[in-house]
Amino acid sequence: MAGYATRVRADIARWREAGLIDPATAEALTRDVAANERASLSFGSILAMMAALLFGAAILIFVAANWETIPRLVRVAALFAVIVTGYVGGAVLKTRDHAAIGEALWIVAAAAFGGSIALIGQMYHLSGDEASALLTWCAGTALAAVALRSNPLTVAAVGIADAWLVLKGFGFYWHAEIPHLFIVMASVLFAISFWTRSRAARHLIILSIILYLALLATDHDTLPVAVSLAIASALLFAVSVLAGDPVDRILELSGRLPLHALLGFLTGMAIVQFELADESTYNSGFAVASVVALAGIVAAIMLAGRESRGLRWLAYAGFAFELAIIYGVTLRSMLDTAGFFLAAAVLLGILALVIIRVEKRMKAAETGAAA
């Protein structure tokens, strides 16, 4: 957002020098940009967060390394002292206009809480596994985020929930099972993100839901889940384009919902293509899925590519992936591959000409209306 504000200020100065706006209008526009500019995460804040994480890790490693020599009561008291000091000290510093350091202390406290769960559970031989510990850690961090209305703590809670999803979904220590509880966790954290004003957490939650659906598709009922993901993402993309402003006012995603929707569509279609790919013969279902994926990419660029550079790059990456997977599946028949690329090139060329002519007519119509 800071980059956007900087560009607008430069444009205002250029417009003023060119005589397009008068000095009073330029000053009013500059004041409006300054009033609506959100505070961005500075480099110092990033360093403070990194230092906080390293400091928290150092404390936990020191305690763990000297665990047997420290009396049990002192162990528990030391861990709780770190947690209380981090949360209370961070709150005090934040009220005294030291927001970055205060948020960093909160991260230290959250890290200490997670370490305390493991260390105290080991000390008192409490039953449970790593996934249960992560679940408790996520709940505690989310409660702290609500109480302190902290943006970084909300992001941390989402990150812990994602770690729990990966641990359960990929089954590093036990038989993998899809943790359906994640949808409830994601919904709660999404609601919390509005209270804590954490737009980053909402973006991360949407990406996490796509990961959850991808895990669900690979676990069972691959085609139904993947097709549902692609269709739902396409519908979400259409809604975000046709009713972008109302939807963005509700979700507050800075207009990036089409980007997430396109990623969900590409993920769903990729799973469908991998499922339909046949190593022995060219599969007609795979061909249909490939055409749908390419058509979706072209439609995304046409409908929202002009407004979002990130969406264009994602579309280009998706197009490159499609060419790679199509080539890989049809590699055994170079003639089929060449024919497909030739047909795709002709179709895309015709589509490009049509789009160029339509855009020229739209611009001409806008110019005539303005005149």
Side-chain angles (χ1 to χ4, degrees), residues 298 302 341-358:
V298 173
M302 289 175 56
F341 283 152
L342 178 60
V346 172
L347 289 175
L348 289 177
I350 294 174
L351 183 60
L353 290 175
V354 172
I355 293 173
I356 291 173
R357 291 180 65 88
V358 170

Side-chain angles (χ1 to χ4, degrees), residues 43-76:
F43 183 67
S45 300
I46 295 174
L47 290 180
M49 291 296 175
M50 294 175 64
L53 291 174
L54 293 174
F55 183 72
I59 292 175
L60 295 176
I61 292 174
F62 174 78
V63 173
N66 299 276
W67 196 243
E68 299 299 330
T69 60
I70 301 175
R72 178 173 294 184
L73 185 61
V74 176
R75 302 175 195 171
V76 177

Side-chain angles (χ1 to χ4, degrees), residues 105-127:
L105 285 180
W106 289 346
I107 294 296
V108 170
F113 175 70
S116 300
I117 295 173
L119 294 175
I120 292 176
Q122 180 186 16
M123 183 171 59
Y124 289 101
H125 305 288
L126 300 177
S127 61

